[in-house]
Amino acid sequence: MGGSSGCGCSFIFFVIGGFVLFFVAWPIGVIILSLAALIFMSGGGRKSANKQAAVVRQKLSGKRIELWGENAFRAAVRMKNWFGRQSRTVKIVLLISAVALSCYCVMFLRQEIGVSNQNPSATEQIQTAVAALFSQRETAAVLENQTQTPIPNQTDLPLSSETTNYEIVFEIPNHRYDGGKTLYVLINQIDLSSDDFKNDIRIILQDIVAQEGNKISVEIHDSRATLDLSYKQYGDFSLGRPLTQSELDNRAIHLIASYDGDLETMIYVNTLMFFPGAFTDTPNVGIYVEEIEFDARK
């Protein structure tokens, strides 16, 4: 009973930990998964792998067990038995290594896939991952033929009474998997005292789409520094490193909006996101975080 209850308890913790890891808070999920591994590796009895498999078969009351499932269970039990024979020092080193590797993998995936600002569903995360994968493959194939149109180096545009001024800083043809282009646009610094700037963003996008067509993706920044950084990370992939936390925090504030037109891998075919790099609890801009359906042709 000790071995089977330990396995059952660890299985429950694995399920809970996986859910918390991807949909609630990844640090808590890593802790729960580590606890599950510890329970499984240290739990119950000295039964052999074959005997424990027989216990499972008996508990299923004659139900058919797939061969691969039974073999997988036996392999897991053998791993647990091997772990149990190791010294305490080796066990501690292995557990710490597993936790560290889990933390690194989760942080990497969350940054590369781009977790939605509003706790997206699993389907949305998969769609985003697939879109990113195809986009990178297409970009690698056409990178040599890309024509980029940078504007002269400059600081942030000054505040102006004309809130719909904008400049297309970089243009990357065939950047999306469907052949659509990507534009990096610089605007005047916005006024965060109200959400009036959202109407200005819509006007800017309508003007861009009228000239470029709707099969485009657009990033709109009010800081040249964050625009350049975003372009190097996600545009021509020349940055060669992950963004630092400070850079991510700055991008969350100055990446004002993103638009994806005629892109079927998103939740809407035409999607407008305000502050896509921020969360609803981000200081100063969190109250403006939003994802809506918006067709810039209308």
Side-chain angles (χ1 to χ4, degrees):
M1 290 296 293
S4 60
S5 63
C7 290
C9 184
S10 63
F11 176 77
I12 293 174
F13 273 96
F14 271 120
V15 173
I16 296 175
F19 180 85
V20 173
L21 182 72
F22 287 101
F23 299 106
V24 182
W26 70 264
I28 299 176
V30 169
I31 293 173
I32 296 176
L33 288 176
S34 301
L35 179 60
L38 182 61
I39 293 173
F40 180 79
M41 291 298 185
S42 61
R46 296 180 176 275
K47 296 180 181 179
S48 68
N50 290 333
K51 288 184 178 180
Q52 291 199 24
V55 170
V56 172
R57 188 183 298 106
Q58 183 178 3
K59 285 194 170 186
L60 291 177
S61 302
K63 293 182 180 178
R64 182 172 177 268
I65 301 177
E66 295 292 344
L67 181 61
W68 66 267
E70 182 176 343
N71 290 338
F73 180 79
R74 288 177 175 174
V77 173
R78 291 191 184 100
M79 182 180 296
K80 185 190 76 169
N81 293 338
W82 173 86
F83 185 87
R85 292 193 296 270
Q86 306 307 308
S87 65
R88 177 176 296 181
T89 302
V90 173
K91 290 178 181 178
I92 293 175
V93 171
L94 289 175
L95 287 175
I96 292 177
S97 300
V99 172
L101 181 61
S102 299
C103 291
Y104 175 81
C105 292
V106 172
M107 292 176 66
F108 179 81
L109 288 174
R110 286 173 67 89
Q111 178 175 327
E112 291 301 313
I113 295 177
V115 179
S116 173
N117 301 321
Q118 299 172 336
N119 296 327
S121 65
T123 301
E124 292 174 273
Q125 292 188 26
I126 293 173
Q127 289 177 337
T128 304
V130 171
L133 176 63
F134 277 103
S135 177
Q136 291 186 16
R137 287 180 176 177
E138 290 293 328
T139 301
V142 301
L143 193 58
E144 295 181 356
N145 298 324
Q146 291 176 351
T147 57
Q148 304 161 0
T149 57
I151 61 175
N153 188 25
Q154 62 184 66
T155 59
D156 298 345
L157 294 174
L159 285 172
S160 169
S161 58
E162 183 55 64
T163 56
T164 57
N165 283 342
Y166 71 90
E167 189 80 29
I168 298 177
V169 181
F170 296 108
E171 176 180 329
I172 308 179
N174 302 312
H175 189 237
R176 298 190 337 193
Y177 81 95
D178 60 356
K181 66 175 64 175
T182 297
L183 305 178
Y184 291 81
V185 176
L186 184 65
I187 63 172
N188 297 321
Q189 295 176 353
I190 65 170
D191 181 4
L192 291 174
S193 62
S194 70
D195 65 354
D196 291 345
F197 68 90
K198 292 187 176 182
N199 290 328
D200 297 330
I201 295 298
R202 293 185 180 94
I203 293 173
I204 290 172
L205 288 171
Q206 288 172 339
D207 188 66
I208 292 175
V209 167
Q211 301 176 51
E212 304 287 345
N214 196 50
K215 192 177 181 179
I216 59 173
S217 292
V218 183
E219 280 194 11
I220 300 178
H221 297 253
D222 71 348
S223 165
R224 178 62 190 267
T226 62
L227 185 148
D228 287 342
L229 199 62
S230 186
Y231 170 74
K232 291 177 181 179
Q233 176 73 334
Y234 306 108
D236 66 356
F237 309 107
S238 63
L239 189 60
R241 60 172 178 82
L243 298 179
T244 65
Q245 188 59 51
S246 176
E247 290 169 337
L248 289 171
D249 293 341
N250 201 36
R251 184 174 183 267
I253 298 173
H254 295 290
L255 174 53
I256 309 303
S258 66
Y259 176 74
D260 294 292
D262 290 341
L263 187 60
E264 296 183 355
T265 55
M266 300 294 286
I267 185 172
Y268 305 115
V269 176
N270 300 289
T271 305
L272 173 58
M273 299 178 65
F274 291 102
F275 294 102
F279 296 91
T280 54
D281 59 352
T282 301
N284 301 322
V285 302
I287 59 175
Y288 300 123
V289 170
E290 187 180 16
E291 181 177 4
I292 60 174
E293 183 175 13
F294 173 72
D295 191 338
R297 292 170 295 188
K298 301 178 180 179

